[in-house]
Amino acid sequence: MNRIPSFLRRIVPALLVSAAAVAAPTAALAAYPEQPIKMIVGYGAGGGTDIIARVMAPYIAKYLGNNASIVVHNRAGAGGAIGFSELARAPADGYTIGFVNTPNVLTIPIERKVDFTWQSFDLLGNVIDDPGNFSVHTDSPIKDLKGLVAHAKANPGAVTYGTTGIGSDDHLAAMQFERAAGVKLTHVPFKGAAEVHNAIASKQITMAAMNIGEALQYAKGGTPLRHLGQMSGSRTNLAPNVPTFKEQGYDIVMASLRGIAAPKGLPPAVREQLATAIQKAAADPEFQAKAANYFAPLRYLAPAAYEAELKQSEAGFRALWKEMPWGDK
């Protein structure tokens, strides 16, 4: 009978412990995700953020592997603040992610006290960059921005416009337009773009201030909309026939970034796995084709570039707040 030498009996257990310690991180990484991932959207169902979240979720899951599944949860209200707050408070374990939208995630903490800033999140990648736009019902006598100004001057305060909330890109753009054109409009905030769409479709409001991608999507769905102008530096490929605000004499450029984030403090390996899956999903030709069908203007930004963009934008909005506070009157 062979006997194990005494010196081997002493070192073999230590070697086994060391091997287990080395293998543990790899095993943990390979196991993620072991349960469904919640994706929080701070706006109502049927809006631009909700739609792109539901279109993209299966592709992120595909590239995460391990039979991953992602379930979208709508937490609408307060211009996105309800959803952003829930995301910031969630455990940083990789099982809660969500969309964060500019300028709201930047402007809300400037305007009022909330329990988040953009630094409350681990940024995983930006997906959408959708320019602002004004749309009216096709029954409206308003044909362009010149007509909007004439109508507003003839009827001070009578022109109502819907947005996704106070401090949203739509709200800030409308305020800039009021100042530039010397008119007074009446703001009607909603919980999401779908509610704005319903209000303009039923003629409850005069004008919908919504992103051009969302407006084109609703028009394709049968809503009779006339787009007055897009707030991009030049005409986008999505809407080559819609003039810019600049073309019509108003130097207003505004857009909404829609990116994916998680609560601050993700395990590095999980953060890398999520960021890589989002990058691959954004580059997936099948996903890109579906996004184009919904008029979603894609602009992927890796986490570092996304952070730089938010930092620069925040500085601009803080300067704007000093000049033109946007809390509703």
Side-chain angles (χ1 to χ4, degrees):
M1 178 178 179
N2 294 328
R3 299 183 62 185
I4 300 174
S6 60
F7 78 93
L8 284 179
R9 288 200 298 271
R10 290 195 301 271
I11 67 170
V12 166
L15 290 173
L16 291 174
V17 170
S18 297
V22 170
T26 304
L29 176 59
Y32 173 80
E34 296 179 304
Q35 62 191 57
I37 297 169
K38 176 193 292 186
M39 176 181 276
I40 295 174
V41 171
Y43 303 92
T49 306
D50 175 72
I51 288 172
I52 201 65
R54 294 178 188 278
V55 170
M56 193 176 195
Y59 293 92
I60 300 173
K62 168 186 171 181
Y63 291 109
L64 281 175
N66 203 40
N67 295 315
S69 65
I70 299 176
V71 182
V72 175
H73 292 251
N74 298 92
R75 298 290 186 263
I82 292 173
F84 303 156
S85 292
E86 182 174 326
L87 179 61
R89 293 193 306 266
D93 57 7
Y95 290 102
T96 304
I97 61 176
F99 270 81
V100 292
N101 301 52
T102 67
N104 306 49
V105 74
L106 306 175
T107 56
I108 290 171
I110 294 173
E111 175 203 334
R112 61 188 186 269
K113 184 174 177 58
V114 288
D115 58 358
F116 67 87
T117 68
W118 69 267
Q119 292 100 332
S120 303
F121 307 105
D122 275 343
L123 303 176
L124 302 173
N126 187 67
V127 181
I128 299 292
D129 186 350
D130 198 354
N133 157 78
F134 287 169
S135 293
V136 296
H137 197 284
T138 53
D139 288 346
S140 170
I142 300 170
K143 307 294 183 184
D144 50 25
L145 295 183
K146 181 180 178 181
L148 173 62
V149 171
H151 186 77
K153 286 185 174 179
N155 305 275
V159 174
T160 55
Y161 69 96
T163 75
T164 55
I166 298 169
S168 65
D169 56 322
D170 314 307
H171 182 214
L172 298 185
M175 289 182 67
Q176 290 178 320
F177 181 75
E178 284 181 292
R179 185 173 62 171
V183 298
K184 171 60 181 170
L185 311 176
T186 298
H187 183 208
V188 184
F190 292 92
K191 291 182 179 180
E195 290 188 9
V196 178
H197 159 249
N198 291 337
I200 192 67
S202 59
K203 305 180 188 178
Q204 296 176 43
I205 54 176
T206 310
M207 182 177 73
M210 64 170 65
N211 300 100
I212 188 65
E214 293 172 326
L216 291 170
Q217 174 200 326
Y218 292 134
K220 180 184 177 183
T223 303
L225 293 178
R226 179 183 302 124
H227 313 306
L228 304 183
Q230 54 185 316
M231 302 170 199
S232 47
S234 57
R235 297 191 187 194
T236 62
N237 292 336
L238 286 176
N241 298 320
V242 178
T244 66
F245 273 53
K246 279 188 173 183
E247 289 177 63
Q248 300 179 74
Y250 299 96
D251 190 7
I252 299 174
V253 176
M254 186 69 72
S256 175
L257 293 183
R258 299 172 198 150
I260 301 175
K264 194 76 172 180
L266 285 179
V270 171
R271 183 175 65 242
E272 180 63 26
Q273 197 170 345
L274 280 165
T276 299
I278 289 165
Q279 180 182 21
K280 289 180 177 179
D284 189 295
E286 187 177 280
F287 163 71
Q288 292 181 348
K290 289 183 178 180
N293 192 51
Y294 286 105
F295 298 97
L298 299 176
R299 182 191 174 202
Y300 172 76
L301 292 173
Y306 188 19
E307 178 180 346
E309 184 96 3
L310 294 189
K311 189 178 295 184
Q312 181 180 7
S313 296
E314 182 189 37
F317 286 122
R318 287 193 179 279
L320 182 63
W321 173 258
K322 293 178 180 178
E323 179 186 352
M324 190 184 70
W326 52 77
D328 241 10
K329 308 175 188 67

